[in-house]
Amino acid sequence: MSNSNPGRTRTMPPLEQTPRRAQILKKLHARPTVRGSVLALLVLIVFVMVAPYFAPQNPYDLANLNLLDGRLPPRSPMMDGGFYWLGTDDQGRDMLSAILYGLRISLMVGLSAVVLATAIGSLVGLLAAYVGGVVDAILMRLVDFILGFPTILVALVLLAMMGRGVDKVILALVVVQWAHYARIMRGRALQERRKEYVEAAANLGYPAWRVMLVHLLPNCMGPVMVFATIQIATAIALEATLSFLGVGVPITEPSLGLLIANGFQYLLSGDYWISMFPGLALLLLILTINIVGDRLREALDPRRA
């Protein structure tokens, strides 16, 4: 490998338009479902960001809720002349506002959990692949031990011990997810570790931490980031499941899962909107993320090039 400056080893090309990047972007734009999913996801994110200014009501402010407005059907008039476009729940909470705020909680929990799990799992997998030996064996047996338990069971036990809370849900999701990233990173790092640029960096006298973080890690993040994109939807679905079971976020800050649980008992009485509209919002969010992540995985797959 030629390099004009023998004191440095460049491991990644600069961020310029290359044939490979152009091919990836072409594949991502090839299907209308991907464009529609990206557009729908961007619309959801915009609505979530402007929720405090766009939502007719702050559903987390209990002082503004009126029990007399409970279980009103869609398009019911408000006292101030507006409309409850999606109806209200049993607490008099405007469903449109509750869904927008619930999307904020679900997205925040999913993104935070995936970012932390990706960071922890990537470092563990990278360390196991680079050091090898006893360290690799111990770390991978720990990964196997965590992956041997059902995800929902571990999360339920952790939240039963720690209690409710957004931060506790994020911690529980990180505990049950980081092992997946460690295994993917280790497999990729074992392949990259045999390449010449790693040996060149080590022969130049760079410390092990620099070889791992500066040279090896950036070249191993491709499959990890694709998996992380898909895992965002998994984390959101898991958080919704935990909240539906009553061990997730507190009732004063309901997410989509808790909103669905609040209206579940009213489905047979005809008040379908309390559970149906949050369920549709959750379905749309998970579906768009899965479509984008799955198409990104196909675009980055060298066997499909």
Side-chain angles (χ1 to χ4, degrees):
M1 179 173 56
S2 62
N3 196 340
S4 59
N5 187 357
R8 300 183 61 185
T9 303
R10 190 174 67 185
T11 61
M12 295 185 66
L15 293 177
E16 59 186 9
Q17 186 69 358
T18 63
R20 176 61 176 160
R21 291 194 182 94
Q23 186 179 24
I24 292 173
L25 292 176
K26 182 179 179 180
K27 287 183 177 181
L28 290 177
H29 289 286
R31 294 184 180 177
T33 54
V34 178
R35 296 195 297 268
S37 299
V38 172
L39 180 60
L41 186 59
L42 290 177
V43 170
L44 286 176
I45 293 176
V46 170
F47 279 151
V48 165
M49 294 178 62
V50 301
Y53 310 99
F54 177 78
Q57 180 190 81
N58 183 1
Y60 297 162
D61 188 0
L62 301 181
N64 291 331
L65 302 183
N66 189 353
L67 293 178
L68 297 178
D69 291 336
R71 299 169 61 183
L72 293 178
R75 289 189 55 83
S76 296
M78 292 181 176
M79 296 295 295
D80 58 0
F83 289 93
Y84 293 114
W85 294 104
L86 299 182
T88 62
D89 63 1
D90 57 340
Q91 302 294 322
R93 186 184 289 114
D94 176 51
M95 291 307 303
L96 176 60
S97 304
I99 290 173
L100 292 176
Y101 277 77
L103 282 170
R104 298 182 73 189
I105 296 293
S106 298
L107 277 173
M108 183 188 69
V109 171
L111 290 174
S112 302
V114 167
V115 168
L116 292 176
T118 302
I120 296 173
S122 298
L123 292 178
V124 171
L126 188 65
L127 181 65
Y130 189 81
V131 177
V134 178
V135 175
D136 183 22
I138 294 176
L139 292 177
M140 287 301 102
R141 296 299 76 76
L142 177 60
V143 169
D144 294 338
F145 176 77
I146 293 177
L147 295 179
F149 290 94
T151 300
I152 186 66
L153 178 61
V154 176
L156 282 172
V157 171
L158 291 175
L159 290 174
M161 296 171 55
M162 297 183 298
R164 288 178 139 187
V166 175
D167 55 340
K168 297 178 178 63
V169 174
I170 294 175
L171 178 59
L173 294 180
V174 171
V175 171
V176 300
Q177 286 189 334
W178 71 269
H180 297 279
Y181 299 94
R183 175 165 288 181
I184 294 175
M185 174 59 74
R186 176 181 177 271
R188 180 67 175 179
L190 286 176
Q191 298 176 1
E192 293 291 328
R193 189 174 181 270
R194 303 186 183 97
K195 295 186 177 180
E196 295 180 353
Y197 72 88
V198 178
E199 297 179 3
N203 292 334
L204 288 173
Y206 292 152
W209 66 267
R210 178 170 178 176
V211 177
M212 288 191 295
L213 298 180
V214 178
H215 301 276
L216 189 58
L217 179 62
N219 292 282
C220 300
M221 288 303 296
V224 176
M225 296 307 298
V226 174
F227 180 75
T229 303
I230 300 176
Q231 281 297 103
I232 294 176
T234 303
I236 292 174
L238 183 56
E239 181 276 325
T241 303
L242 295 171
S243 297
F244 182 85
L245 295 175
V247 294
V249 297
I251 59 176
T252 55
E253 297 181 1
S255 66
L256 295 178
L258 190 56
L259 292 175
I260 297 173
N262 291 339
F264 184 74
Q265 58 182 325
Y266 301 112
L267 284 177
L268 297 180
S269 62
D271 299 336
Y272 63 91
W273 59 88
I274 303 178
S275 286
M276 189 186 74
F277 291 135
L280 291 177
L282 180 63
L283 175 63
L284 179 62
L285 179 62
I286 293 177
L287 183 62
T288 54
I289 294 176
N290 276 333
I291 291 176
V292 174
D294 187 64
R295 188 55 182 164
L296 183 62
R297 176 185 58 80
E298 293 180 3
L300 293 175
D301 190 352
R303 293 173 296 182
R304 297 175 178 264

